Amino acid sequence: MPPERMSGRPVPRFGAWPSPISTAEVVRSGVRPGHPAVVGEEIWWEEERPTEGGRRTIVHRDARGTCRELLPAPWDARTRVHEYGGRSYAVTPEGDVVFAEHADQRLYLLPAGGATPRPITPEPGVACGLRYADLTVHAGEVWCVQERHGGDGKVARSIVSIPLAGGEPRQRVTGSDFYASPMPSADGEHLAYICWDHPRMPWVGTELRVTRLTDGASWCVTGGPEESVLAPRWNGPGHLYLLTDRSGWWNLEEARVDGSSSRALFPAEEEFAWAPQRLGAAPYAVLADGRLAVVHGRGDLRLGVLDPRTGEMTEPPQPYDGWEPCLDADGSTVCGIAYSATISRSVVRVDVGTGTGTGTGTAVESLRSDIGEPPDAAYLPVPRPVEIHSRFGRRVHAYVYSPANPAVPLDEVAPPYVVFAHGGPAAHGVTALDLHKAFLTSRGIGVIDVNYGGSTGYGRAYRERLKGRWGAVDVEDVIAAAEWLLSAGLADPERIAIRGAGAGGWTAMAACCATGLFCGGVSIAGVSALAPLAATTHDFESRYVEWLVGPENPALYATREPLSRAGQIDCPMLLMQGQDDLVVPPAQAEAFVAVLDERGVPCTYLSFEGEGHGFGRAETRSAALAAELAFYQQIFR
């Protein structure tokens, strides 16, 4: 029976409220602009084309403000390094563009004003066997991370340089399992970079090293197994800027290149970066007058301008609540990706002036939005940050999105809710306008987005709550979020579901195993079994399970993994999976579905050909969203 208002008039069924936000509109919104670059008055950035198979292109905005797509189909600017990829291109001072082509993973050069890219790296002997990422241009060469895949399945990485005219990559640094952020010094004498080895991840422990290019001598400036150092930038020949979480927070420091000393530029219990799951992040940029454009904060990161000489931080006036850690600058112009609860992710240019410390006269311009025409704001939920107490009194951060629809005012009837568990798991939910959430809330389904223990944005100690406790802490925290909804009287106790993708899919399945609180669960490319994951997943995360849970131990793994505990699930499940997923292979979902089918637990499994870890095609995204809504409508009756 539909709920009724006190007047006796029926209210549309939750999940079926009339909404102008369609699946097609959600899919069309997914151009996902990213990684802007600025040279003078010209700006470049990446964009996705969901209606063209999910390929990525590069857009150029010239000094007159005219935008042009540089790479028409079938060109696809995507790198597959670490399988997650990252920034795919770099711009030369002359405006030429170097990019990694997804089809063969070679580097190509597109001259300024040119129409046809040409390859500058050799064709590998193994298909897509040579991959490139984290590109920077210096003295007529592209410096980058090279990933080599042999026919034997082994993977190796190094830092290489390639002439812009083309040729064999020249190996500059080798010996570590992973590399990031290659930065040649202005005089060409030294190379600074980040490196780390298995079993660590870059948000766990890295080293900032410097190699003297004349003789190959190399030394560690800072970092180690329990310190995550990120994003080096040169400050003259003898000093480096860097980010380190030595204090417990990713803060900015300046260090002598010989490692003899360092100083904190703005010590604060705030993060100045996100976890580097993809290569090519740029959490700060150097302005012409020596100031630094930075992102900083807790949860959402704000844009700031830091004077490293005085330690003074100012925040330019602008309408955005958060900025992604992908800044670039030239002169006093800063470009980045910004958002708010009512403004979708956008390419934004900010002129921060000459730095009087007042922030007056700041010019802000939005150049491109993820959503062309956003819906009426009355249909958009307003995120409310909350702190929840989980097991043992742990504080858990979350954002609550109540249903929002001007045509259907809420009354005393509590709506259904979906608990969102983000992927990663070293990631976090932010307050950016998200049409996926609005698609649900405008139909009468609330959302609580949980930054469970292990999430970034709240310091190293918060991230390390998940060390050895994956499948426990994350599960306890999402259950605590659901219980908080009930204690606050916000949700119908019979209609709370949970959903997640990747690591979030693991959490959703594991939570449904651990409690009868959820009336259904949605897992997209979720992990169900630990030992098979460690044996079959890609090299970048092949040892991650050791940190998250521990070395292989069948008894321990059985207490955490959803597959071993699937006999405890009684609620309906929806699982969706890309057949070409190399991060979480389809066998993970298929094994879980088989157990539920054998027990007679209602389970829908949708498998999408040609999709990897994260759906790129418009038709797949549309089908997945429609299936998810239909699932909620069924279980929330």
Side-chain angles (χ1 to χ4, degrees), residues 44 60 68 70-71 92 94-99 108-120 164:
W44 294 257
H60 174 228
R68 182 170 69 95
L70 298 182
L71 300 175
T92 73
E94 297 74 29
D96 303 334
V97 174
V98 183
F99 68 94
Y108 286 75
L109 178 73
L110 177 64
T116 305
R118 60 176 177 82
I120 63 171
L164 288 171

Side-chain angles (χ1 to χ4, degrees), residues 55 109 215 392 395 400 461 519 555:
R55 74 179 187 92
L109 178 73
D215 60 8
F392 307 121
R395 288 186 307 163
V400 176
C519 66

